[in-house]
Amino acid sequence: MRIGIACDHGGFNLKQEMKIRLKTLNFDIIDFGASAMDDDDDYPDYVVPLGKAVSAKEVERGIAICGSGVGASVAVNKIEGVRGALIHDCFSAHQGVEDDNINVICLGGRVIGNELAWEIVRTFLGASFSGAERHRRRLAKVAVLDHKESGR
Ligand code: RB5
């Protein structure tokens, strides 16, 4: 699976750690930055390109990390076709994919530690959308908003 990862300074250390661990599982990782720790950088500069790559299906799933995960989540959900969620527990990491077909997980690098983040990331990447009719119906009601927002 090809996945994208992005962060600002608040998520930099966690991103580096998740990259190292993901490589050991042979994931194909595209890093959208930040490429170095910069206390003055801005999460949209990295999270938005990641979201666009998810939307364009250049990567299958994304991991967006800022200090709390909140800014990353707000920014990435502005992009059509992205379904991102701020998740800090394992139940939501799989149910968010199974029921809601999320394609981006957002994490707070200042909120959770490496071990829990790693369990959450592995759970997210290992989960699949159930495809159940009721979930498709609900997602279709959300998807129409993409088109309303973009005027199409
Ligand atoms: C940056 O200091 C911090 O505000 C950012 O990483 C994030 O937590 C925003 O939601």
Side-chain angles (χ1 to χ4, degrees):
M1 186 190 286
R2 174 177 277 195
I3 60 169
I5 193 163
C7 71
D8 70 353
H9 56 282
F12 186 75
N13 291 336
L14 185 57
K15 174 172 76 75
Q16 297 308 95
E17 184 65 31
M18 292 301 104
K19 263 181 75 178
I20 291 166
R21 296 185 187 210
L22 286 164
K23 279 180 184 164
T24 68
L25 298 185
N26 292 323
F27 281 98
D28 184 8
I29 304 159
I30 311 288
D31 188 344
F32 290 85
S35 58
M37 186 69 175
D38 173 1
D39 283 339
D40 205 32
D41 67 10
D42 302 325
Y43 59 81
D45 294 338
Y46 310 104
V47 167
V48 170
L50 166 65
K52 287 181 176 172
V54 170
S55 182
K57 301 198 188 306
E58 290 161 11
V59 296
E60 209 169 312
R61 297 213 188 148
I63 301 167
I65 312 174
C66 65
S68 62
V70 173
S73 160
V74 169
V76 84
N77 278 299
K78 297 290 182 190
I79 298 157
E80 186 172 339
V82 170
R83 293 173 300 280
L86 169 54
I87 289 178
H88 286 153
D89 70 276
C90 289
F91 173 76
S92 305
H94 67 82
Q95 199 199 255
V97 178
E98 291 159 357
D99 291 11
D100 310 307
N101 203 13
I102 61 166
N103 47 22
V104 175
I105 193 165
C106 303
L107 300 170
R110 293 172 176 160
V111 180
I112 52 170
N114 290 341
E115 299 309 324
L116 177 56
W118 180 231
E119 273 199 50
I120 288 168
V121 164
R122 277 186 299 151
T123 301
F124 164 65
L125 295 175
S128 305
F129 179 50
S130 72
E133 191 283 328
R134 67 187 185 285
H135 297 311
R136 290 189 184 280
R137 183 180 72 234
R138 291 160 192 162
L139 285 167
K141 290 179 182 182
V142 175
V144 294
L145 299 170
D146 271 343
H147 305 299
K148 277 188 186 149
E149 292 302 317
S150 63
R152 289 193 281 131

